[in-house]
Amino acid sequence: MLIEADFLVIGSGIAGLRAALALAPFGRVAVLTKADPSESNTGYAQGGIAAAMGDDDSPELHAQDTIAAGDGLCVPEAVDVLVGEGPYYVRELLEWGAAFDREPDGRPALGREAAHSVRRVLHARDATGREIARLLWSRVSQTAAIQVVDDASATELMLDDGICRGVSFVTAHTTGTVAAPQTLLATGGAGQVFRETTNPAIATGDGIAMAARAGACIADLEFVQFHPTVLSMEGSPRFLLSEALRGEGARLINGAGEPFMERYEPAGDLAARDLVARAMVREAERTGAPVYLTLAHLDPDFVRRRFPTIAAACAHAGLDLATDRIPVSPAAHYVMGGVETDLYGRTSVPGLVAAGEVACTGVHGANRLASNSLLEGLVFGARAAEAMTHGVLAGTCRSDRHDVRVPAREAPCPSVHEVRDLMWRHAGLVRTHDRLEEAVTHLGGWASTVLAGRMASSADPEARRLASIVTVGWLIAGAALRRTESRGGHFRADFPSHDDLHWKKHVADRLHV
Ligand code: FAD
Ligand code: SIN
């Protein structure tokens, strides 16, 4: 099957859909999406979308919070774009009919989340992503120039003389190609690389792996954000318990029922995510008991009204969100690194742009501020579309370059579960040289096998999943081994401090296959 288009968008989350809408007036747009069109990280987003829209807020204050969370590595120009253009694109969503919660006077209600100095998170109860996806899909389905191809997994970017000309894909029944002079990668994150994750099954990092195989610069992959509060019950899915719960007053308590965060961090329950996650692990180790979230001191009617989706998930697990203590533990949530881009999404490969979680604009630095990701998809999705209408240009690799060669030694591949388990134990919340080195050795051998066997293009979905998880896991573990300091989401027990002299910088991997 051959599909010809003026613009190809791979992925149907917030970044891909916003870009597709911006591209439609300029030509035929093909949107390729791996599963059911609504399946994306976007659809699961809970807390909301941050934008400086309150009377006590400003883009400057939003920038300040974003840069503080990014722990020394935010690219300031990217932050200025995000916070400066963000309110325009969020107002546009409101004009299009986004059913965000409102104050009695009609203004958008603003929620609070960790490391934000003011209330600035617009939300639709606790299912903000579902509402945004509904809205974008309703517009896409009314736009004749956009053709959506669902249940189609992009497998390899097609390069002609180093220029991206489209992509090959597989469906359950056939294979095909989309030929287009401009391709946007909007394939989202890679949480599934880890055993414990908030991300849905689609988030296997396919876009990062594809771009790496095409020779694009992949920056900052060691920076993975682990969300502290995920439902932790034997047999229950790892359901996210939004940070907005703590924004509204929920407390973390230990097994004896004592709040403990202030003992570890001055900002207490609303400290940055990496700090909260590690404090929880330390408290659980200290007490030998699990850690819980409690909302029992809040008005139960308010809790159930404000957080209906989370309350329903807890009820499914036999817990009452308003009155029971809820067992929680951290899980991989968001990848700050990805395909390196400039401020218009241009990658180091001509004809290939990237936006959303798959991209690394540098806007999040070493750690993302809560609710900045939906905003990033919106703002940089639209900007990537603008670049695409201006022709084929490459961005530059702004980071220090590191060449990665595939080991000659191939090793028989394990199961997807074994890889994810290894990543969780060896490249998770607390990392050390020895464990990372062991992971890199195993993953390098497996990466060699999946690349030599062209498993990324296999007709078998499990083989494709394994190919992405191994490739991205290998790059994450390698980057984490290289960075001999701790910063943001990357914590090395053997190098627990910042090392600004050597490491206040970005590093981009360039894979040679
Ligand atoms: P996604 O929304 O993940 O979309 C990626 C798309 O690419 C999907 O359609 C997928 O099917 C497709 N795709 C992937 N691989 C392929 C392939 N090989 N071929 C074809 N298609 C492919 N952020 C916030 O700002 N606020 C929040 O409140 C918030 N809450 C969150 C809650 C949860 C549980 C999770 C998991 C994340 C949350 N985040 C939140 C993060 C945020 O949702 C994501 O970072 C953001 O939605 C990413 O958008 P995206 O468009 O880049 O990718
Ligand atoms: C949450 O609701 O806690 C997730 C918000 C985010 O990841 O930005």
Side-chain angles (χ1 to χ4, degrees), residues 126-142:
D126 55 355
T128 310
R130 197 192 305 156
E131 173 57 14
I132 292 175
R134 178 201 66 75
L135 185 67
L136 295 177
W137 272 113
S138 75
R139 294 186 82 84
V140 164
S141 58
Q142 292 162 31

PDB file of all heavy atoms in Angstrom, residues 126-142:
ATOM      1  N   ASP A 126     -10.399  15.469  36.692  1.00  0.00           N
ATOM      2  CA  ASP A 126      -9.100  14.785  36.705  1.00  0.00           C
ATOM      3  C   ASP A 126      -8.902  13.992  35.418  1.00  0.00           C
ATOM      4  O   ASP A 126      -8.229  12.973  35.414  1.00  0.00           O
ATOM      5  CB  ASP A 126      -9.000  13.879  37.936  1.00  0.00           C
ATOM      6  CG  ASP A 126     -10.156  12.888  38.011  1.00  0.00           C
ATOM      7  OD1 ASP A 126     -11.077  12.970  37.163  1.00  0.00           O
ATOM      8  OD2 ASP A 126     -10.151  12.023  38.900  1.00  0.00           O
ATOM      9  N   ALA A 127      -9.528  14.457  34.330  1.00  0.00           N
ATOM     10  CA  ALA A 127      -9.380  13.756  33.044  1.00  0.00           C
ATOM     11  C   ALA A 127      -9.165  14.797  31.946  1.00  0.00           C
ATOM     12  O   ALA A 127      -9.844  14.800  30.911  1.00  0.00           O
ATOM     13  CB  ALA A 127     -10.611  12.903  32.766  1.00  0.00           C
ATOM     14  N   THR A 128      -8.181  15.650  32.148  1.00  0.00           N
ATOM     15  CA  THR A 128      -7.929  16.768  31.237  1.00  0.00           C
ATOM     16  C   THR A 128      -7.530  16.269  29.843  1.00  0.00           C
ATOM     17  O   THR A 128      -7.963  16.818  28.830  1.00  0.00           O
ATOM     18  CB  THR A 128      -6.798  17.653  31.815  1.00  0.00           C
ATOM     19  OG1 THR A 128      -7.126  17.951  33.168  1.00  0.00           O
ATOM     20  CG2 THR A 128      -6.636  18.925  31.024  1.00  0.00           C
ATOM     21  N   GLY A 129      -6.703  15.243  29.804  1.00  0.00           N
ATOM     22  CA  GLY A 129      -6.221  14.737  28.518  1.00  0.00           C
ATOM     23  C   GLY A 129      -7.362  14.181  27.675  1.00  0.00           C
ATOM     24  O   GLY A 129      -7.395  14.378  26.451  1.00  0.00           O
ATOM     25  N   ARG A 130      -8.297  13.520  28.332  1.00  0.00           N
ATOM     26  CA  ARG A 130      -9.433  12.945  27.596  1.00  0.00           C
ATOM     27  C   ARG A 130     -10.232  14.080  26.926  1.00  0.00           C
ATOM     28  O   ARG A 130     -10.651  13.969  25.786  1.00  0.00           O
ATOM     29  CB  ARG A 130     -10.323  12.159  28.570  1.00  0.00           C
ATOM     30  CG  ARG A 130     -11.277  11.212  27.867  1.00  0.00           C
ATOM     31  CD  ARG A 130     -12.336  10.681  28.812  1.00  0.00           C
ATOM     32  NE  ARG A 130     -11.781  10.055  29.998  1.00  0.00           N
ATOM     33  CZ  ARG A 130     -12.442   9.938  31.151  1.00  0.00           C
ATOM     34  NH1 ARG A 130     -13.683  10.376  31.272  1.00  0.00           N
ATOM     35  NH2 ARG A 130     -11.875   9.359  32.191  1.00  0.00           N
ATOM     36  N   GLU A 131     -10.410  15.182  27.650  1.00  0.00           N
ATOM     37  CA  GLU A 131     -11.165  16.309  27.102  1.00  0.00           C
ATOM     38  C   GLU A 131     -10.415  16.968  25.936  1.00  0.00           C
ATOM     39  O   GLU A 131     -11.012  17.296  24.906  1.00  0.00           O
ATOM     40  CB  GLU A 131     -11.447  17.330  28.219  1.00  0.00           C
ATOM     41  CG  GLU A 131     -12.082  18.619  27.763  1.00  0.00           C
ATOM     42  CD  GLU A 131     -13.400  18.446  27.010  1.00  0.00           C
ATOM     43  OE1 GLU A 131     -13.982  17.340  27.045  1.00  0.00           O
ATOM     44  OE2 GLU A 131     -13.841  19.414  26.351  1.00  0.00           O
ATOM     45  N   ILE A 132      -9.108  17.128  26.098  1.00  0.00           N
ATOM     46  CA  ILE A 132      -8.337  17.753  25.008  1.00  0.00           C
ATOM     47  C   ILE A 132      -8.350  16.848  23.768  1.00  0.00           C
ATOM     48  O   ILE A 132      -8.538  17.312  22.641  1.00  0.00           O
ATOM     49  CB  ILE A 132      -6.886  18.048  25.467  1.00  0.00           C
ATOM     50  CG1 ILE A 132      -6.897  19.150  26.536  1.00  0.00           C
ATOM     51  CG2 ILE A 132      -6.006  18.437  24.296  1.00  0.00           C
ATOM     52  CD1 ILE A 132      -5.529  19.443  27.157  1.00  0.00           C
ATOM     53  N   ALA A 133      -8.186  15.549  23.994  1.00  0.00           N
ATOM     54  CA  ALA A 133      -8.184  14.612  22.862  1.00  0.00           C
ATOM     55  C   ALA A 133      -9.554  14.640  22.166  1.00  0.00           C
ATOM     56  O   ALA A 133      -9.639  14.657  20.934  1.00  0.00           O
ATOM     57  CB  ALA A 133      -7.842  13.206  23.340  1.00  0.00           C
ATOM     58  N   ARG A 134     -10.638  14.664  22.950  1.00  0.00           N
ATOM     59  CA  ARG A 134     -11.992  14.715  22.359  1.00  0.00           C
ATOM     60  C   ARG A 134     -12.119  15.936  21.441  1.00  0.00           C
ATOM     61  O   ARG A 134     -12.578  15.855  20.308  1.00  0.00           O
ATOM     62  CB  ARG A 134     -13.042  14.785  23.475  1.00  0.00           C
ATOM     63  CG  ARG A 134     -14.480  14.891  22.982  1.00  0.00           C
ATOM     64  CD  ARG A 134     -15.436  15.453  24.021  1.00  0.00           C
ATOM     65  NE  ARG A 134     -15.205  16.840  24.389  1.00  0.00           N
ATOM     66  CZ  ARG A 134     -15.518  17.906  23.645  1.00  0.00           C
ATOM     67  NH1 ARG A 134     -16.084  17.741  22.470  1.00  0.00           N
ATOM     68  NH2 ARG A 134     -15.261  19.139  24.066  1.00  0.00           N
ATOM     69  N   LEU A 135     -11.649  17.067  21.969  1.00  0.00           N
ATOM     70  CA  LEU A 135     -11.774  18.323  21.235  1.00  0.00           C
ATOM     71  C   LEU A 135     -10.964  18.292  19.936  1.00  0.00           C
ATOM     72  O   LEU A 135     -11.469  18.643  18.859  1.00  0.00           O
ATOM     73  CB  LEU A 135     -11.269  19.449  22.146  1.00  0.00           C
ATOM     74  CG  LEU A 135     -11.399  20.863  21.642  1.00  0.00           C
ATOM     75  CD1 LEU A 135     -12.865  21.248  21.548  1.00  0.00           C
ATOM     76  CD2 LEU A 135     -10.676  21.817  22.591  1.00  0.00           C
ATOM     77  N   LEU A 136      -9.708  17.863  20.022  1.00  0.00           N
ATOM     78  CA  LEU A 136      -8.854  17.845  18.834  1.00  0.00           C
ATOM     79  C   LEU A 136      -9.389  16.853  17.806  1.00  0.00           C
ATOM     80  O   LEU A 136      -9.430  17.139  16.609  1.00  0.00           O
ATOM     81  CB  LEU A 136      -7.406  17.520  19.215  1.00  0.00           C
ATOM     82  CG  LEU A 136      -6.706  18.578  20.087  1.00  0.00           C
ATOM     83  CD1 LEU A 136      -5.301  18.116  20.454  1.00  0.00           C
ATOM     84  CD2 LEU A 136      -6.632  19.932  19.374  1.00  0.00           C
ATOM     85  N   TRP A 137      -9.827  15.689  18.291  1.00  0.00           N
ATOM     86  CA  TRP A 137     -10.361  14.694  17.348  1.00  0.00           C
ATOM     87  C   TRP A 137     -11.614  15.214  16.653  1.00  0.00           C
ATOM     88  O   TRP A 137     -11.835  14.947  15.471  1.00  0.00           O
ATOM     89  CB  TRP A 137     -10.679  13.372  18.061  1.00  0.00           C
ATOM     90  CG  TRP A 137      -9.484  12.472  18.108  1.00  0.00           C
ATOM     91  CD1 TRP A 137      -8.780  12.098  19.206  1.00  0.00           C
ATOM     92  CD2 TRP A 137      -8.827  11.872  16.979  1.00  0.00           C
ATOM     93  NE1 TRP A 137      -7.726  11.298  18.844  1.00  0.00           N
ATOM     94  CE2 TRP A 137      -7.737  11.141  17.490  1.00  0.00           C
ATOM     95  CE3 TRP A 137      -9.048  11.888  15.611  1.00  0.00           C
ATOM     96  CZ2 TRP A 137      -6.870  10.421  16.667  1.00  0.00           C
ATOM     97  CZ3 TRP A 137      -8.176  11.166  14.787  1.00  0.00           C
ATOM     98  CH2 TRP A 137      -7.107  10.456  15.310  1.00  0.00           C
ATOM     99  N   SER A 138     -12.454  15.949  17.381  1.00  0.00           N
ATOM    100  CA  SER A 138     -13.693  16.413  16.740  1.00  0.00           C
ATOM    101  C   SER A 138     -13.326  17.387  15.606  1.00  0.00           C
ATOM    102  O   SER A 138     -13.953  17.384  14.559  1.00  0.00           O
ATOM    103  CB  SER A 138     -14.657  17.028  17.756  1.00  0.00           C
ATOM    104  OG  SER A 138     -14.207  18.304  18.121  1.00  0.00           O
ATOM    105  N   ARG A 139     -12.272  18.164  15.774  1.00  0.00           N
ATOM    106  CA  ARG A 139     -11.879  19.083  14.701  1.00  0.00           C
ATOM    107  C   ARG A 139     -11.190  18.334  13.558  1.00  0.00           C
ATOM    108  O   ARG A 139     -11.422  18.622  12.388  1.00  0.00           O
ATOM    109  CB  ARG A 139     -10.959  20.178  15.245  1.00  0.00           C
ATOM    110  CG  ARG A 139     -11.666  21.093  16.227  1.00  0.00           C
ATOM    111  CD  ARG A 139     -10.815  22.252  16.641  1.00  0.00           C
ATOM    112  NE  ARG A 139     -10.820  23.347  15.679  1.00  0.00           N
ATOM    113  CZ  ARG A 139     -11.756  24.299  15.625  1.00  0.00           C
ATOM    114  NH1 ARG A 139     -12.770  24.275  16.453  1.00  0.00           N
ATOM    115  NH2 ARG A 139     -11.670  25.268  14.727  1.00  0.00           N
ATOM    116  N   VAL A 140     -10.343  17.379  13.913  1.00  0.00           N
ATOM    117  CA  VAL A 140      -9.644  16.603  12.872  1.00  0.00           C
ATOM    118  C   VAL A 140     -10.670  15.870  11.998  1.00  0.00           C
ATOM    119  O   VAL A 140     -10.565  15.853  10.771  1.00  0.00           O
ATOM    120  CB  VAL A 140      -8.648  15.614  13.515  1.00  0.00           C
ATOM    121  CG1 VAL A 140      -8.203  14.541  12.538  1.00  0.00           C
ATOM    122  CG2 VAL A 140      -7.436  16.370  14.066  1.00  0.00           C
ATOM    123  N   SER A 141     -11.694  15.300  12.639  1.00  0.00           N
ATOM    124  CA  SER A 141     -12.649  14.502  11.851  1.00  0.00           C
ATOM    125  C   SER A 141     -13.501  15.392  10.929  1.00  0.00           C
ATOM    126  O   SER A 141     -14.101  14.890   9.992  1.00  0.00           O
ATOM    127  CB  SER A 141     -13.532  13.653  12.766  1.00  0.00           C
ATOM    128  OG  SER A 141     -14.198  14.515  13.645  1.00  0.00           O
ATOM    129  N   GLN A 142     -13.500  16.707  11.179  1.00  0.00           N
ATOM    130  CA  GLN A 142     -14.246  17.602  10.277  1.00  0.00           C
ATOM    131  C   GLN A 142     -13.335  18.254   9.235  1.00  0.00           C
ATOM    132  O   GLN A 142     -13.751  19.158   8.524  1.00  0.00           O
ATOM    133  CB  GLN A 142     -14.897  18.723  11.090  1.00  0.00           C
ATOM    134  CG  GLN A 142     -16.020  18.256  12.008  1.00  0.00           C
ATOM    135  CD  GLN A 142     -16.317  19.294  13.086  1.00  0.00           C
ATOM    136  OE1 GLN A 142     -16.153  20.480  12.877  1.00  0.00           O
ATOM    137  NE2 GLN A 142     -16.741  18.817  14.241  1.00  0.00           N
TER     138      GLN A 142
END
